[in-house]
């Protein structure tokens, strides 16, 4: 589909010249490491080459500059055709616990308060229409709707590099990249807890919900991406309900407690001195899981006492002692196990201050355990150099996942069946969006005819028509139009729940466009490209 003459040359220059310079830079996708029951996927960036074979019949007499100009125009037109014929793609670019170490993930972590800003910046890129950010302790994933796959990926990678100060070449070593159906399935697996360190853990579903909550009203969190995340929430709930996959599974906080107890001598469990630093969501869960393990007393360090008091009120049978942050080091010196879960962007514990702490009790072998579930980390990596200290972070929770593998596999297989079904429905919904412009234009066409004929009818009936009669005639005409449109409208919808195929739906769309001459406006995609060009020329 060629662009209108008012758009194809000057207005297209800015977008084409910028994007054509990027076409030679490719980003080979790193194969996604096999997660729990993940299907092997080969992901790649599709190479797009715009060719220009200019063979004018009068080449022998045409001036050289005329030939060059003709070639340039053909090049622009071929690029324009490629944009308007290529459907926008859902793409996920990310790093997770399966592909990147915590040192890399913490550099790219985006605080929740910054998600709207990140969405706005991503959507200001030439080839990105919609965006969302999912940033947790185990993953940092960018979801976008891209006008062009490889150009969109290039722009997002450059944005990630700029915001994290990590070179693109280094990001490429750890990232994963998925398109359309694979991207959809990935998010559904994430929401269902299949991509987590601890299979079926529920915290990630709450984090997916938070993406939708934060995205509401944010320009750029559009129909496709918001629809994807909302459907992922449905999938996560359905998997947990129908497979009971969360039964016996634990969250990251619970896994942290499990890991600590695995490392402690069995005889010491009743006497171990517990310290929790941070009383936010993660810290609260750590406290609850400690209580579930039989811990009756612990110290909680937090910036304020308000949250600790609320937890103490909820867990009345447990002695929870509050201490301010100023006493953190003193409390650590009196504890055998230290859990850290704060939002601090700099380490709370370094080798220089931990080495001077009193030793842990002999009940635990004299070795103090730090379990750090924060990203960025609260405990510096240098602390692990100390002989009588053991430091564990979110990457070490893999040990906890090792038990009851057969049962988890069975439940994960059941979950994959649900995910496949829901993925099909989501793709059918997304594909059916192509018919929305036709539905709107057909309704508008019918409404124009209805109003014109209604006006003629009422004009023939005179000026003194009772309001009741006027309303009855209007209702009659509206009812006739609605009944006539019902059949065509039904055949323009395809949500995956009936036997109608997408190809049949699209055939119906094209037929209606031809019969009613509806396909007279420039395409929706052309409008998006025009808006992008005009926006970036300001």
């Amino acid at each position: 589909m060629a662009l209108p003459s008012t758009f194809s040359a000057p207005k297209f220059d800015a977008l084409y010249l910028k994007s054509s310079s990027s076409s030679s830079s490719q980003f080979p996708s790193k194969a996604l490491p096999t997660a729990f029951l993940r299907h092997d996927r080969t992901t790649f960036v599709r190479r797009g080459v715009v060719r220009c074979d200019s063979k004018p019949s009068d080449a022998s007499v045409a001036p050289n500059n005329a030939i060059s100009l003709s070639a340039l125009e053909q090049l622009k037109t071929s690029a324009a055709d490629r944009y308007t014929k290529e459907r926008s793609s859902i793409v996920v670019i990310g790093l997770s616990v399966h592909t990147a170490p915590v040192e890399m993930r913490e550099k790219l972590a985006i605080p929740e308060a910054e998600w709207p800003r990140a969405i706005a910046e991503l959507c200001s890129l030439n080839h990105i229409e919609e965006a969302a950010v999912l940033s947790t302790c185990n993953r940092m994933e960018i979801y976008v709707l891209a006008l062009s796959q490889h150009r969109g990926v290039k722009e997002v990678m450059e944005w990630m590099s700029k915001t994290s100060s990590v070179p693109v070449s280094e990001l490429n070593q750890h990232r994963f990249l998925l398109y359309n159906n694979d991207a959809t399935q990935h998010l559904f697996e994430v929401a269902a807890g299949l991509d987590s360190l601890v299979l079926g853990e529920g915290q990630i579903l709450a984090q997916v919900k938070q993406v939708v909550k934060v995205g509401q009203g944010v320009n750029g969190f559009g129909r496709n991406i918001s629809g994807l995340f909302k459907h992922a929430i449905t999938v996560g709930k359905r998997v947990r309900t129908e497979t009971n996959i969360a039964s016996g599974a634990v969250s990251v906080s619970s896994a942290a407690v499990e890991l600590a107890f695995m490392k402690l001598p069995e005889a010491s469990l009743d006497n171990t001195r517990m310290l929790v630093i941070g009383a936010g969501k993660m810290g609260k869960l750590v406290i609850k899981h400690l209580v579930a393990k039989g811990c009756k007393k612990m110290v909680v360090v937090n910036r304020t006492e308000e949250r600790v008091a609320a937890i103490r009120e909820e867990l009345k049978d447990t002695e929870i002692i509050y201490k301010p942050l100023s006493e953190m080091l003193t409390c650590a010196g009196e504890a055998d196990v230290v859990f850290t879960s704060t939002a601090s962007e700099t380490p709370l514990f370094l080798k220089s201050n931990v080495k001077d702490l009193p030793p842990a009790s002999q009940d635990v072998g004299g070795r103090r355990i730090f379990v750090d579930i924060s990203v960025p980390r609260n405990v510096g990596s240098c602390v692990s150099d100390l002989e009588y200290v053991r430091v564990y972070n979110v990457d070490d929770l893999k040990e906890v996942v090792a038990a009851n593998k057969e049962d988890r596999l069975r439940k994960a297989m059941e979950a994959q069946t649900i995910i496949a079904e829901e993925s099909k429905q989501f793709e059918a919904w997304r594909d059916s969006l192509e018919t929305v412009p036709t539905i709107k234009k057909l309704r508008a066409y019918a409404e124009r005819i209805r109003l014109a004929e209604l006006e003629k009818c009422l004009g023939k009936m005179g000026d003194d028509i009772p309001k009741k009669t006027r309303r009855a005639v209007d209702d009659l005409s509206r009812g006739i139009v609605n009944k006539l449109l019902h059949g065509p409208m039904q055949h323009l919808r395809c949500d995956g729940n009936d036997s109608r195929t997408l190809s049949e739906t699209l055939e119906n769309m094209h037929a209606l466009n031809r019969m009613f001459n509806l396909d007279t406006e420039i395409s929706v995609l052309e409008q998006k490209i025009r808006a992008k060009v005009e926006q970036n020329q300001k």
Side-chain angles (χ1 to χ4, degrees):
M1 182 185 301
L3 292 172
S5 58
T6 56
F7 175 60
S8 60
K11 287 193 175 184
F12 192 73
D13 284 350
L15 179 60
Y16 172 70
L17 291 176
K18 181 168 184 178
S19 59
S20 64
S21 65
S22 68
S23 62
S24 61
S25 300
Q26 301 300 322
F27 291 86
S29 173
K30 182 179 179 67
L32 187 63
T34 303
F36 228 41
L37 259 197
R38 179 174 299 282
H39 300 301
D40 290 338
R41 300 174 185 153
T42 303
T43 58
F44 58 89
V45 176
R46 183 159 53 84
R47 183 178 296 273
V49 180
V50 179
R51 298 189 179 277
C52 178
D53 299 319
S54 179
K55 297 181 180 179
S57 58
D58 57 346
S60 58
V61 296
N64 290 336
N65 60 346
I67 296 175
S68 299
L69 181 60
S70 174
L72 179 60
E73 290 302 324
Q74 289 184 38
L75 188 61
K76 289 177 181 177
T77 303
S78 63
D81 284 342
R82 191 164 178 274
Y83 274 107
T84 54
K85 291 175 183 177
E86 181 179 7
R87 178 187 175 190
S88 297
S89 300
I90 291 179
V91 184
V92 55
I93 307 167
L95 299 90
S96 75
V97 67
H98 305 298
T99 70
V102 65
E103 293 88 353
M104 176 66 69
R105 300 198 307 275
E106 64 189 2
K107 291 178 183 177
L108 284 103
I110 302 176
E112 184 180 308
E114 296 295 317
W115 291 357
R117 175 194 59 79
I119 291 172
E121 290 183 2
L122 286 163
C123 290
S124 70
L125 301 174
N126 279 340
H127 299 86
I128 303 302
E129 298 181 86
E130 302 175 15
V133 176
L134 177 59
S135 183
T136 74
C137 60
N138 283 334
R139 67 188 69 252
M140 207 297 283
E141 300 176 355
I142 303 292
Y143 291 80
V144 296
L145 185 71
L147 283 168
S148 169
Q149 286 186 354
H150 67 287
R151 292 184 177 97
V153 169
K154 182 180 187 298
E155 291 174 352
V156 173
M157 290 296 294
E158 290 173 348
W159 178 86
M160 292 172 70
S161 176
K162 180 180 177 181
T163 56
S164 65
S165 299
V166 178
V168 170
S169 58
E170 191 173 346
L171 291 177
N172 283 338
Q173 297 175 22
H174 299 285
R175 71 159 193 198
F176 65 87
L177 174 63
L178 298 169
Y179 297 126
N180 295 318
N181 291 351
D182 286 336
T184 297
Q185 181 170 334
H186 172 74
L187 182 59
F188 289 179
E189 290 175 353
V190 168
L194 300 190
D195 197 60
S196 301
L197 279 177
V198 182
L199 187 70
E201 62 100 355
Q203 188 175 1
I204 185 61
L205 180 58
Q207 291 162 334
V208 171
K209 290 179 181 178
Q210 196 63 20
V211 172
V212 175
K213 182 178 179 182
V214 172
Q216 295 298 326
V218 176
N219 288 334
F221 190 66
R223 181 192 302 187
N224 287 268
I225 297 297
S226 64
L228 173 64
F229 273 81
K230 288 174 182 177
H231 205 115
I233 294 171
T234 300
V235 173
K237 290 179 179 177
R238 186 181 166 194
V239 167
R240 283 167 174 79
T241 301
E242 296 183 23
T243 69
N244 202 25
I245 198 170
S247 177
V250 287
S251 66
V252 170
S253 301
S254 177
V257 174
E258 292 283 348
L259 178 63
F261 275 69
M262 286 170 59
K263 301 300 180 182
L264 290 170
E266 188 172 349
S268 70
L269 298 182
D270 293 335
N271 302 320
T272 301
R273 299 170 298 177
M274 300 291 184
L275 170 65
V276 180
I277 299 176
K281 293 179 182 177
M282 299 282 279
K284 182 178 179 180
L285 286 171
V286 167
I287 294 169
K288 286 187 172 182
H289 289 300
L290 285 172
V291 172
K293 285 288 186 181
C295 184
K296 297 295 183 182
K297 179 180 179 180
M298 68 192 75
V299 177
V300 179
V301 171
N302 197 52
R303 192 179 303 277
T304 63
E305 189 176 4
E306 183 179 356
R307 287 185 175 179
V308 180
I311 296 172
R312 187 190 296 125
E313 182 66 22
E314 186 177 343
L315 305 172
K316 295 182 178 180
D317 295 334
T318 305
E319 184 180 355
I320 299 176
I321 303 168
Y322 165 76
K323 294 291 182 180
L325 277 175
S326 58
E327 299 182 30
M328 180 184 69
L329 284 175
T330 302
C331 294
E334 298 171 352
D336 300 316
V337 179
V338 181
F339 296 92
T340 62
S341 61
T342 79
S344 174
E345 296 186 0
T346 56
L348 302 178
F349 293 97
L350 296 172
K351 184 177 180 180
S352 57
N353 49 40
V354 174
K355 67 181 179 62
D356 295 327
L357 296 179
S361 68
Q362 289 304 313
D363 288 341
V364 296
R367 291 182 175 179
R368 180 169 287 109
I369 296 175
F370 284 88
V371 184
D372 183 8
I373 56 175
S374 303
V375 176
R377 288 171 293 177
N378 291 165
V379 182
S381 57
C382 55
V383 176
S384 59
D385 296 337
L386 298 171
E387 183 179 357
Y388 294 106
V389 173
R390 292 292 178 268
V391 180
Y392 303 97
N393 58 45
V394 289
D395 286 356
D396 297 305
L397 299 182
K398 295 173 183 177
E399 276 189 62
V400 184
V401 188
N404 302 320
K405 186 174 182 179
E406 184 177 345
D407 183 54
R408 291 202 301 270
L409 281 172
R410 179 181 57 79
K411 292 177 179 178
M413 289 176 68
E414 295 174 10
Q416 286 289 0
T417 301
I418 294 172
I419 288 172
E421 178 183 325
E422 293 289 347
S423 295
K424 181 180 178 182
Q425 289 194 13
F426 174 76
E427 289 304 319
W429 170 79
R430 185 166 174 249
D431 287 335
S432 70
L433 294 180
E434 291 188 29
T435 67
V436 170
T438 297
I439 291 174
K440 289 181 178 179
K441 286 187 283 186
L442 182 58
R443 280 200 171 279
Y445 173 78
E447 183 66 8
R448 287 195 300 269
I449 293 176
R450 186 188 75 84
L451 291 175
E453 294 304 315
L454 178 63
E455 186 177 350
K456 289 180 184 177
C457 176
L458 294 176
K460 294 177 181 178
M461 296 173 68
D463 297 331
D464 54 348
I465 312 171
K467 286 184 179 181
K468 186 175 181 181
T469 302
R470 184 183 295 269
R471 190 182 308 115
V473 175
D474 182 72
D475 289 343
L476 174 65
S477 65
R478 196 183 304 275
I480 292 172
V481 167
N482 286 339
K483 282 183 168 56
L484 287 173
L485 288 180
H486 178 73
M489 292 301 177
Q490 285 295 102
H491 285 80
L492 284 177
R493 295 187 173 94
C494 175
D495 60 5
N497 290 321
D498 55 27
S499 59
R500 190 179 304 116
T501 63
L502 174 64
S503 59
E504 179 184 340
T505 302
L506 295 180
E507 284 177 12
N508 294 334
M509 178 188 75
H510 294 309
L512 286 169
N513 280 330
R514 289 193 304 271
M515 285 187 289
F516 293 98
N517 197 28
L518 301 176
D519 198 14
T520 56
E521 303 174 13
I522 61 173
S523 72
V524 175
L525 189 50
E526 286 183 49
Q527 293 176 24
K528 292 175 183 176
I529 297 172
R530 174 181 289 180
K532 278 287 182 183
V533 173
E534 292 177 347
Q535 174 185 331
N536 287 293
Q537 285 181 336
K538 291 180 181 179

